[in-house]
Amino acid sequence: MEAVLSSTKKQKFVNFAADVFALNTFCYFISIPIELGFAQMSLETHLHARLIGLFIITSTARPFGIWRDWIFKRCKLTEQNKGIFPYVVDTFAYLSFEMPLYLINLSISGASPDQMIRSVFIFCLIAGVVGRPYGIYRAFLRAKIFKINNTCNKGD
């Protein structure tokens, strides 16, 4: 019984670590052109937003992973599905979970209302492009780097 509990705790930690690493690395590279380019934030405001983002993303990465997996299950999708439907579902999952958090981050970071509106607009456009790539990136990291057999919340 103790070995099973230990194995379950280990799996939960691996799931958490995989999702935190995936979302933090992905979001950092996505935020650079949005904040420094399109929104024309200063480097100081961008770095402040990324520092706050590190805490927000770290605390929400696993819940987002669970949310995404739940949506995929409800839509009867797997990571192997191809075509437009998995793209739309991944985009919806990403946008519906990340947009409110991004707005909170920008607000706390001191972005002006104009910068926030521009950032959110660009975020929506980019989410349409990155939702599925993030899902693929996450699945790749979980399978190849963290050796998680699938993304269906095993151990959670």
Side-chain angles (χ1 to χ4, degrees):
M1 181 68 172
E2 203 171 299
V4 171
L5 288 176
S6 176
S7 175
T8 301
K9 283 183 181 182
K10 180 181 176 190
Q11 189 60 53
K12 283 184 178 187
F13 177 76
V14 171
N15 285 340
F16 172 80
D19 284 353
V20 165
F21 181 79
L23 197 56
N24 270 300
T25 55
F26 193 84
C27 287
Y28 183 77
F29 289 109
I30 296 301
S31 71
I32 292 171
I34 293 173
E35 295 170 0
L36 294 178
F38 296 110
Q40 298 179 338
M41 290 181 189
S42 67
L43 182 59
E44 181 181 353
T45 302
H46 163 73
L47 292 175
H48 192 248
R50 292 304 93 226
L51 181 61
I52 292 170
L54 182 67
F55 292 105
I56 292 172
I57 292 167
T58 297
S59 64
T60 62
R62 188 64 194 132
F64 171 62
I66 293 168
W67 168 249
R68 181 188 175 274
D69 292 344
W70 181 80
I71 290 174
F72 259 59
K73 282 181 188 179
R74 297 282 297 179
C75 294
K76 297 179 178 27
L77 290 171
T78 69
E79 296 300 337
Q80 290 71 39
N81 289 115
K82 306 253 188 275
I84 193 73
F85 190 58
Y87 183 89
V88 169
V89 170
D90 245 336
T91 299
F92 170 76
Y94 189 82
L95 193 56
S96 66
F97 194 92
E98 295 300 328
M99 178 62 73
L101 299 175
Y102 187 57
L103 279 168
I104 291 167
N105 182 355
L106 292 176
S107 177
I108 292 170
S109 298
S112 71
D114 183 54
Q115 290 172 327
M116 290 176 64
I117 290 168
R118 284 186 289 173
S119 295
V120 165
F121 176 72
I122 297 301
F123 186 88
C124 287
L125 293 175
I126 290 176
V129 176
V130 302
R132 185 65 178 147
Y134 172 70
I136 293 167
Y137 175 70
R138 176 182 178 258
F140 171 79
L141 288 176
R142 290 172 66 84
K144 302 296 184 191
I145 307 299
F146 290 89
K147 307 296 184 205
I148 299 171
N149 291 333
N150 64 39
T151 59
C152 293
N153 299 325
K154 294 222 173 175
D156 285 332

